[in-house]
Amino acid sequence: MSIGHTLLGLLESGPRHGYDLKRAFDEKFGQDRPLHYGQVYSTMSRLLKNGLVEVDGIEPGDGPERKRYAITEAGITDVQRWLATPEKPEPYLQSTLYTKVVLALLTRRDAADILDTQRSEHLRMMRILTDRKRTGDLADQLICDHALFHLEADLRWLELTAARLGKLAEVVTR
């Protein structure tokens, strides 16, 4: 996720302080990985330097002065370009799990145990996400669905690999 583009997009609704941007980000996108304040302010500093935001006002606070940021026309253009650019599909061709299976076979360990352990962990996570989906709002349901679909694909791969483990062992231990 591009934090800078996300913060710019949040600024399109109007100027905000860094604290307000962090709170809006965490509420909409960061339930599982909230932003650190330092990350917000370093990102805003970079966006300011690049002309994508401007300081819309400075107010005294309990500590340092509070800057209110506003998006510039260049920032709006940058967000539009980012939104219109498709994300590169991630084919997961460098899978750690595949590496573990092959190394288990190469070292004469039980690769089936690795697959079974991973299957159990995937199912555990799917139960957690399914419970979260039941109680969440629409945004949480959609993000859980995204994760669940990926986990389901992983489970299909685990089953296929378990079924082909003998042939894979022949190929990698030659």
Side-chain angles (χ1 to χ4, degrees):
M1 173 189 305
S2 170
I3 307 256
H5 287 112
T6 305
L7 294 176
L8 283 172
L10 290 171
L11 281 173
E12 282 201 48
S13 65
R16 298 181 191 212
H17 296 96
Y19 174 82
D20 297 326
L21 283 167
K22 180 205 177 335
R23 193 176 65 227
F25 181 96
D26 290 351
E27 180 182 300
K28 300 289 183 197
F29 311 108
Q31 290 179 341
D32 295 314
R33 281 186 22 195
L35 281 181
H36 296 285
Y37 284 105
Q39 192 173 13
V40 171
Y41 292 109
S42 65
T43 301
M44 295 311 296
S45 177
R46 188 182 80 253
L47 295 172
L48 187 62
K49 179 181 167 189
N50 292 335
L52 301 176
V53 298
E54 61 190 9
V55 175
D56 185 57
I58 299 177
E59 302 166 1
D62 292 336
E65 293 179 328
R66 293 176 24 135
K67 293 179 184 173
R68 188 174 54 247
Y69 298 96
I71 191 169
T72 62
E73 286 300 318
I76 292 170
T77 300
D78 198 54
V79 170
Q80 180 57 39
R81 186 175 24 253
W82 179 67
L83 290 172
T85 303
E87 290 297 307
K88 181 181 176 194
E90 296 186 34
Y92 303 106
L93 294 177
Q94 294 297 322
S95 166
T96 303
L97 185 53
Y98 173 77
T99 301
K100 285 182 173 186
V101 170
V102 170
L103 284 174
L105 294 170
L106 288 172
T107 59
R108 308 283 188 239
R109 290 183 172 92
D110 192 347
D113 281 350
I114 292 171
L115 293 171
D116 287 342
T117 300
Q118 192 63 50
R119 183 182 306 105
S120 295
E121 185 60 19
H122 270 61
L123 291 171
R124 185 187 72 75
M125 181 56 66
M126 289 176 83
R127 284 189 296 276
I128 290 169
L129 289 169
T130 300
D131 287 343
R132 178 175 163 181
K133 183 178 158 181
R134 276 191 211 111
T135 60
D137 61 11
L138 180 58
D140 213 32
Q141 291 170 14
L142 289 171
I143 197 69
C144 287
D145 280 338
H146 186 263
L148 285 164
F149 293 151
H150 281 276
L151 290 170
E152 286 173 7
D154 287 350
L155 281 176
R156 287 194 312 268
W157 182 85
L158 289 166
E159 295 301 325
L160 179 66
T161 303
R164 295 179 174 174
L165 210 46
K167 289 181 183 178
L168 181 61
E170 290 174 17
V171 171
V172 299
T173 58
R174 285 186 200 172

